[in-house]
Amino acid sequence: MRFDVVSLFPEMFSALTEWGVTGRAYQRGLTSLRLWNPRDYAHDPRKTVDDRAYGGGPGMVMMAKPLEDTVEAIKAEHQSSGVQTGPICLLAPQGERFSQKIAKDILSYGNLTLICGRYEAVDQRFVDRTVDLQLSIGDFVVSGGELPAMTMMDAVIRLIPGVLGDEDSAAQDSFINGLLDHPHYTRPEIYAEIPVPDVLLGGHHAKIMDWRRQESLKLTSRLRPDLIEDARKNGLLSEEDERFLLLLLK
Ligand code: 9D3
């Protein structure tokens, strides 16, 4: 998986390339990242990449030309290195909500260009001419596209075969199976007078699996009933699951 990221603050991406699971994936060459600073494609000696909004109003707007020239440079680099250019994606509050499903789609493209906005907005003519899709991480405001870009890249990198060890892959199944995770416990056996549930201490593997499944179903139907609906539609609930869910309602 190759990412090209357009950002005025490329140094921020060391959070991704230097730490934890994503850092290891990067250092092992399972994913690659090229950073492109639109300031390097500015046309004046002052390296201007933003200007005031036509019609007035607060905040600056990112100019179309430096962004478009940056994307042209990315596409040229893909051509000369034999990379199939994937979608050109703008991170934007008004974009489609990012999801696990979109993470899987992106993985299948093999390449993604992420444009990180700063200031109030990006010139609409750049969006219309060059951007294929716009993505958001949710209905709250952050200061730029960099953290959303890293969030999405992290979600995609975790799906690359070989990135997660066996232990983590199993944990990952719990979102893939469409339900919230069950509760977890570690030592000590009693903490603040609260014991670990008996079934987890018994060593009866099948019983433990049943208990975890039921806890997942309980939590999900209480906190995220919408996910139960989705899981049902996607054929992820067994007859036994449905019987247990009926019992919960009584
Ligand atoms: C008053 C208009 N604001 C839009 C809600 C202006 C504005 C604020 C912050 C425009 C851009 C930004 C910077 N945020 C992003 O670029 C961004 C973002 C976000 O703020 N929330 C969730 N997902 C994303 S993806 C990119």
Side-chain angles (χ1 to χ4, degrees):
M1 182 75 211
R2 167 178 168 147
F3 296 97
D4 292 277
V5 173
V6 178
S7 168
L8 289 168
F9 303 125
E11 290 89 353
M12 286 180 73
F13 288 82
S14 58
L16 198 82
T17 56
E18 290 182 15
W19 298 94
V21 165
T22 57
R24 261 187 313 276
Y26 181 75
Q27 279 144 31
R28 291 166 60 205
L30 295 170
T31 181
S32 68
L33 167 62
R34 274 216 52 183
L35 292 159
W36 306 79
N37 192 336
R39 222 172 268 294
D40 298 335
Y41 297 85
H43 296 269
D44 60 318
R46 309 181 71 125
K47 308 265 176 222
T48 312
V49 293
D50 64 315
D51 208 335
R52 288 169 304 176
Y54 278 116
M60 303 292 272
V61 177
M62 289 184 83
M63 296 161 70
K65 182 72 172 151
L67 288 174
E68 206 165 308
D69 288 351
T70 309
V71 173
E72 284 314 309
I74 292 171
K75 287 177 173 171
E77 220 270 320
H78 288 165
Q79 296 242 289
S80 64
S81 58
V83 173
Q84 173 87 27
T85 299
I88 309 296
C89 172
L90 176 68
L91 289 310
Q94 69 273 16
E96 178 186 353
R97 174 82 60 90
F98 184 74
S99 63
Q100 194 69 31
K101 156 105 176 44
I102 294 177
K104 272 199 249 173
D105 290 343
I106 289 172
L107 182 68
S108 76
Y109 302 146
N111 169 247
L112 182 71
T113 296
L114 290 163
I115 318 284
C116 303
R118 282 275 155 175
Y119 315 118
E120 275 301 294
V122 168
D123 191 301
Q124 188 60 35
R125 292 163 296 185
F126 169 73
V127 178
D128 294 341
R129 282 166 52 86
T130 308
V131 169
D132 298 314
L133 80 160
Q134 301 187 53
L135 292 174
S136 157
I137 55 168
D139 293 339
F140 48 88
V141 180
V142 296
S143 305
E146 283 81 5
L147 290 171
M150 282 190 263
T151 302
M152 293 179 196
M153 292 164 75
D154 186 312
V156 174
I157 289 168
R158 295 171 59 78
L159 298 176
I160 299 170
V163 164
L164 294 184
D166 281 347
E167 257 175 62
D168 287 318
S169 312
Q172 208 198 3
D173 281 346
S174 89
F175 213 121
I176 306 296
N177 80 21
L179 301 177
L180 301 182
D181 206 1
H182 54 78
H184 295 256
Y185 299 86
T186 186
R187 291 195 295 179
E189 223 175 280
I190 298 173
Y191 173 75
E193 297 177 15
I194 308 165
V196 171
D198 267 339
V199 59
L200 299 179
L201 306 174
H204 191 308
H205 186 64
K207 274 190 189 160
I208 291 171
M209 298 299 280
D210 284 349
W211 179 85
R212 287 180 169 166
R213 183 74 183 178
Q214 293 180 354
E215 291 298 312
S216 276
L217 290 164
K218 264 199 260 179
L219 272 176
T220 311
S221 65
R222 204 188 312 140
L223 302 177
R224 293 292 306 278
D226 58 310
L227 292 181
I228 296 279
E229 283 305 306
D230 293 348
R232 188 172 283 133
K233 276 191 207 116
N234 294 322
L236 297 172
L237 299 181
S238 68
E239 280 179 34
E240 202 181 334
D241 291 336
E242 295 290 5
R243 275 196 295 278
F244 182 74
L245 287 168
L246 271 176
L247 275 174
L248 280 182
L249 296 175
K250 288 182 189 157

